[in-house]
Amino acid sequence: MPDRVLIPARRAQIAQARPAHHAPHAATAGKPLSRDALAALLSALPRRQPLLLSFSHDDVMQACGGVQNAVREEMAALRKAGWHYLHASPAEPSLAMPPPADAAASLLALRLDGVAIGTAPAACLAAALGALRPARLHAVVHHLIGLQPEAVADVIEAAGLRHPIVWVHDFFSLCPSYRLLRNDAVPCGAPPRGSQACDICVHGEQREAMHGPRIARFFERMRPFVLAPSGSALALWRAGAAGLPRIGEAVQPLMRLGTAPGTLPHGAGGALRIAHPGMRDYGKGWPVFEILAARFAADPRYAFWQIGEDEARPAAHGIRHRPARVGPATPHAMVDAITETGIDVALLWPLWPETFCYVAHEAIAAGAFIVTHQGAGNLPALLRDHPGSGVVLPDTEALLALFDGDGLARALGARRRQFGALLPLGGSAAWLARRGEQDLPARHAMRA
Amino acid sequence: MRCVPDIHCFTSANLAYLDRARVLGESLRRHQPGWRFTLCLTDALPEGFTLDLAAEPFDDVVRLEELDIPEPRRWAFGHDIVELSTAVKGPMLCRLLGTGAKVVYLDPDIALFAPLDDLPGLLDRHDLLVTPHMLAPEDRGPPGPINEFNTLRHGVFNLGFLAVRPSPDGLRFAQWWRDRLLDHCLDDAGNHPFTDQEWVDLAPGFFPGLHILRDPGLNVACWNLSRRPVTIGGDGAIRAGGVPLRFFHFTQIQRAVGEEAIAAFAGDDTAVFELVAWYRRRLAAHAATGLPEGWWAYGCYADGRPIPRAHRRAWRASAELRARFADPFAAGPGSLAEHLLAQSPG
């Protein structure tokens, strides 16, 4: 259904869309590790303790975001269970897949049990793991962006493994446009490669010529087990992944949310506080929030807030800003900020199908009422699982109508803030536990 | 012996439209690789600028001087940049039909999105194929039937597309159209039949073998967008008015007016802006590198002064001027330019 309110924002996004090229945007400081030094570090690990080899797109102890949360929680869960955790990410993170021949792109930043141990080429890591052959080992690929899938497969194979877990935190394994936004603007659902839609998309050429074939070869070599953090993410991924061989797939939520009825009413301080929790980003729905804030800037019923980082992007229309950054030392920063700011309503209007959405869980836990839409990926299911936590609307016309009329006041009038607790499930750790492997998944069991 | 292609396609353009012609050629090679494609060039190459056919998506380039036009340079003087690229379509059509091929003309600012495989078969049954600007009354967009008014002023059919077979009636059409364009191709809608286009309003009466194509996927443009919304499905197919989009006419898309016209009739659709953005990216990829700013070989007098449209009109209108000045592009004493400037008021 056309979404008239969004047309100007969509047009602006379409006009500025560009293909993602491999261009390192940061460098991880770290001492170069020789193969011998790396082998010595790994061989010092007690052999009876299992090791999880994990790949993602950046340094999870430095960067913030959903994938980084998931990896940190996974590491924490496995460490509690007595595992060691070796994390590898590009030493020079990038928003695209580096060419296979780019030697510099194979340099990995390594953390062992959360501690930076240095950088090493993927071939060096492969050789160290190959020589060591830890007794019990498993591999997880959280993200491939910025990594060479060939190099990742080489490392996993050298360690004697196949069938790693591959996560669907987003849709990078289907398209360089990892949110499945055609021309960075319109949800596309991953149509067949070479379709007319791909022909006119800024990402189509890469998807057809490089990305798609390289990802396909990775899946053919690895035949992974695919985990998605929500049913909607798995369904969408599956629809576009017909040609990607895997040994299985399952849903593994990243977090459990427990809520309890509260006693505090909404809007006790006057205007209802409406927040955009998260980045000022098109995909996260910032344009919709700006439209809403502009339209109701002079309406005394509402006050508008953005909770998160400002990313040096301006906010107009009287939108107030409360900084919050969820990181290794501040895992509750978003919950705390929403609570302390007294946010009544979290507008979560992602313009892509969110695969999990940590911030929605955080907003509910902080007592906010969620307003979202049908195309928001995991959000409608989340609200179905937590009745009374929010409302799912068909489109932005309905959103404006909700704010124009007294719909929001009525929805919140009799409601009491319900606060909640968030229980991280540990990512792959939870899946291995479900499989009865949280103890020690034997390497031979995971071999082809 | 040279093989006659099933379809010989051509476009006409000056070098400022080379990027557009290249995008058209690229799309033809993708969707109709068997068609022969010729650029009719209404320009001359500036010094140092080359056209390497091996690197171009054209099979041939035909220059103005190669067409069957008496005194082509003097004839060109009577036309502005749009009129000249339009007026050559008639002589070029005759030239290609003379090879025995079925001929398709496409404007340079068109791009194919799907094959046109049915055209050869349609030309087995009909002498000439045309696409109307509009296939249905206007029902949305700005107040008033603006596109209906414009169509009535500029011609029922959009001559960005034309297909003709070398049948007796096809050849008779081509000869008639050529003759009208040689003498009467003027961009003065409302006062004179509009360029090459409005003449063809007469063709359904003159040529019974004319067939009107009614596929809404053909020749989609701002003037018919209100009834042919562009959508992109989950299957990755681009549709116009619910049927597969086959070619889009990106009229004046490099100027703000082109996108404004699309925006006025696009309604709730943003898919059409994705087409526009894609087209602009292709144009940028095919830019004519090294072409001097504002280049057109027939745009200026020999001393570099731009030729006013009034001078071209005066030249056309006066047999005396045409008899008196052998080279209308000359400058300096005794030239047409000096003569007309002396007569200008003020």
Side-chain angles (χ1 to χ4, degrees):
Chain A
M1 177 177 176
D3 216 345
R4 194 170 302 159
V5 174
L6 265 175
I7 289 175
R10 261 195 187 168
R11 281 185 59 186
Q13 189 76 3
I14 289 165
Q16 70 189 34
R18 296 287 178 273
H21 290 298
H22 173 60
H25 57 75
T28 303
K31 62 179 180 185
L33 278 172
S34 67
R35 176 182 158 178
D36 290 345
L38 184 55
L41 273 170
L42 296 178
S43 61
L45 300 174
R47 284 186 60 79
R48 62 183 177 75
Q49 288 182 302
L51 173 67
L52 190 118
L53 171 62
S54 161
F55 293 88
S56 71
H57 61 295
D58 60 13
D59 184 350
V60 296
M61 304 306 281
Q62 300 286 332
C64 74
V67 180
Q68 294 85 348
N69 285 352
V71 176
R72 285 194 301 266
E73 290 163 5
E74 178 178 274
M75 180 172 65
L78 288 170
R79 290 290 294 135
K80 275 185 192 167
W83 288 54
H84 290 288
Y85 197 94
L86 178 61
H87 179 255
S89 63
E92 294 186 338
S94 159
L95 290 176
M97 186 183 285
D102 184 345
S106 80
L107 193 65
L108 300 172
L110 301 173
R111 282 186 181 271
L112 183 59
D113 298 334
V115 177
I117 56 173
T119 60
C124 179
L125 177 60
L129 285 169
L132 186 68
R133 288 293 178 105
R136 284 177 286 203
L137 178 66
H138 200 8
V140 174
V141 179
H142 281 280
H143 218 297
L144 281 169
I145 203 165
L147 290 163
Q148 293 162 320
E150 301 84 358
V152 173
D154 287 346
V155 172
I156 292 171
E157 279 184 352
L161 296 172
R162 276 189 81 190
H163 313 312
I165 290 172
V166 167
W167 276 88
V168 181
H169 292 300
D170 58 37
F171 301 98
F172 187 72
S173 50
L174 300 182
C175 181
S177 179
Y178 54 85
R179 288 169 163 172
L180 294 186
L181 290 178
R182 191 177 60 245
N183 289 313
D184 294 341
V186 187
C188 69
R193 275 163 44 198
S195 65
Q196 286 179 310
C198 289
D199 282 348
I200 63 151
C201 174
V202 292
H203 303 289
E205 189 178 338
Q206 269 189 45
R207 186 184 186 216
E208 173 70 15
M210 287 291 293
H211 186 98
R214 291 175 71 189
I215 291 283
R217 281 195 294 274
F218 176 83
F219 272 72
E220 283 156 12
R221 278 177 75 180
M222 296 284 99
R223 297 182 64 82
F225 190 91
V226 173
L227 282 181
S230 66
S232 64
L234 184 58
L236 182 51
W237 184 85
R238 188 188 288 140
L244 298 181
R246 63 267 191 190
I247 55 166
E249 54 193 30
V251 172
Q252 174 56 55
L254 299 173
M255 182 174 266
R256 184 173 297 151
L257 169 64
T259 55
T263 55
L264 295 174
H266 286 281
L272 287 175
R273 297 186 171 204
I274 318 295
H276 171 90
M279 297 164 66
R280 297 180 186 182
D281 174 76
Y282 177 89
K284 293 288 182 186
W286 178 246
V288 178
F289 186 73
E290 282 193 308
I291 290 165
L292 201 66
R295 182 147 168 169
F296 298 99
D299 191 325
R301 296 176 296 167
Y302 308 120
F304 293 92
W305 290 76
Q306 185 240 340
I307 313 289
E309 296 183 83
D310 64 11
E311 301 123 39
R313 292 182 64 182
H317 319 300
I319 297 171
R320 278 172 273 188
H321 176 227
R322 167 68 152 81
R325 177 184 165 90
V326 174
T330 54
H332 309 299
M334 183 59 77
V335 173
D336 292 346
I338 293 174
T339 307
E340 289 163 16
T341 320
I343 297 301
D344 297 291
V345 174
L347 180 69
L348 290 164
W349 206 273
L351 299 176
W352 73 293
E354 285 272 10
T355 55
F356 184 70
C357 197
Y358 270 100
V359 78
H361 293 71
E362 291 165 331
I364 294 172
F369 183 77
I370 305 295
V371 175
T372 190
H373 66 107
Q374 289 169 347
N378 185 40
L379 285 166
L382 176 67
L383 295 188
R384 274 197 303 277
D385 291 345
H386 296 278
S389 294
V391 60
V392 180
L393 301 175
D395 53 29
T396 51
E397 309 282 347
L399 174 67
L400 294 181
L402 182 76
F403 277 72
D404 257 332
D406 61 355
L408 196 56
R410 275 193 285 113
L412 296 182
R415 186 179 188 266
R416 294 293 177 265
R417 290 174 184 273
Q418 56 174 24
F419 291 95
L422 298 172
L423 176 66
L425 296 177
S428 310
W431 172 249
L432 294 171
R434 283 165 65 189
R435 294 266 302 257
E437 296 179 29
Q438 86 279 29
D439 179 15
L440 299 171
R443 186 180 62 182
H444 65 267
M446 302 306 297
R447 279 184 178 164
Chain B
M1 192 177 89
R2 188 171 169 183
C3 182
V4 177
D6 191 26
I7 292 284
H8 200 141
C9 183
F10 79 101
T11 193
S12 63
N14 57 299
L15 288 171
Y17 264 54
L18 185 59
D19 54 354
R20 293 160 182 82
R22 284 169 169 169
V23 176
L24 169 62
E26 180 182 66
S27 72
L28 274 166
R29 286 210 166 156
R30 168 146 194 206
H31 295 293
Q32 293 295 166
W35 289 12
R36 189 168 187 85
F37 181 45
T38 298
L39 167 66
C40 178
L41 187 63
T42 55
D43 212 336
L45 305 187
E47 200 175 327
F49 186 88
T50 55
L51 267 183
D52 175 12
L53 269 187
E56 298 286 350
F58 317 121
D59 296 298
D60 313 278
V61 174
V62 170
R63 294 163 200 273
L64 180 65
E65 297 78 10
E66 298 174 61
L67 295 174
D68 180 19
I69 299 172
E71 300 183 301
R73 200 171 132 78
R74 282 163 51 86
W75 176 80
F77 184 87
H79 300 81
D80 68 18
I81 196 164
V82 171
E83 290 166 348
L84 187 66
S85 288
T86 314
V88 297
K89 287 159 66 175
M92 185 69 186
L93 176 64
C94 289
R95 177 188 172 100
L96 296 182
L97 286 173
T99 68
K102 296 167 181 164
V103 178
V104 171
Y105 171 80
L106 291 166
D107 264 356
D109 51 0
I110 279 172
L112 268 64
F113 289 89
L116 303 174
D117 287 335
D118 54 338
L119 292 193
L122 285 164
L123 285 173
D124 286 337
R125 302 198 296 277
H126 307 284
D127 294 311
L128 92 128
L129 309 174
V130 289
T131 51
H133 280 103
M134 307 175 73
L135 288 168
E138 201 158 17
D139 68 347
R140 67 179 165 125
I146 287 175
N147 284 314
E148 292 180 21
F149 277 119
N150 279 335
T151 297
L152 288 169
R153 278 167 58 90
H154 292 89
V156 171
F157 305 107
N158 180 263
L159 266 291
F161 167 85
L162 176 70
V164 187
R165 68 173 174 178
S167 61
D169 258 14
L171 293 169
R172 201 164 59 83
F173 164 81
Q175 189 63 40
W176 164 78
W177 197 45
R178 169 195 178 274
D179 293 347
R180 294 297 168 270
L181 300 190
L182 283 188
D183 293 334
H184 304 290
C185 182
L186 274 176
D187 179 4
D188 190 12
N191 297 314
H192 185 279
F194 177 67
T195 60
D196 63 324
Q197 199 160 264
E198 211 169 353
W199 292 104
V200 180
D201 283 2
L202 298 171
F206 294 172
F207 304 99
L210 178 147
H211 178 69
I212 297 173
L213 297 176
R214 294 188 170 277
D215 179 348
L218 299 171
N219 216 348
V220 183
C222 57
W223 51 75
N224 53 39
L225 201 53
S226 67
R227 297 300 298 260
R228 307 186 201 179
V230 174
T231 54
I232 303 175
D235 58 356
I238 305 177
R239 295 179 177 83
V243 305
L245 172 66
R246 301 173 75 191
F247 67 85
F248 196 96
H249 198 155
F250 293 95
T251 299
Q252 299 195 10
I253 212 62
Q254 286 298 72
R255 295 161 59 190
V257 65
E259 186 159 347
E260 283 167 16
I262 285 176
F265 298 103
D268 295 340
D269 305 318
T270 53
V272 70
F273 297 106
E274 294 186 71
L275 296 189
V276 169
W278 167 84
Y279 188 65
R280 286 184 170 148
R281 290 195 301 273
R282 296 319 302 152
L283 290 182
H286 288 296
T289 309
L291 189 68
E293 179 86 19
W295 173 261
W296 182 40
Y298 304 108
C300 296
Y301 286 112
D303 61 1
R305 277 181 298 176
I307 301 169
R309 179 184 258 205
H311 289 195
R312 297 186 189 278
R313 291 285 189 266
W315 168 261
R316 260 192 191 221
S318 169
E320 183 198 337
L321 289 180
R322 294 199 298 275
R324 185 171 155 193
F325 298 101
D327 178 7
F329 291 95
S335 67
L336 172 70
E338 292 296 303
H339 172 76
L340 291 174
L341 285 170
Q343 292 190 336
S344 302

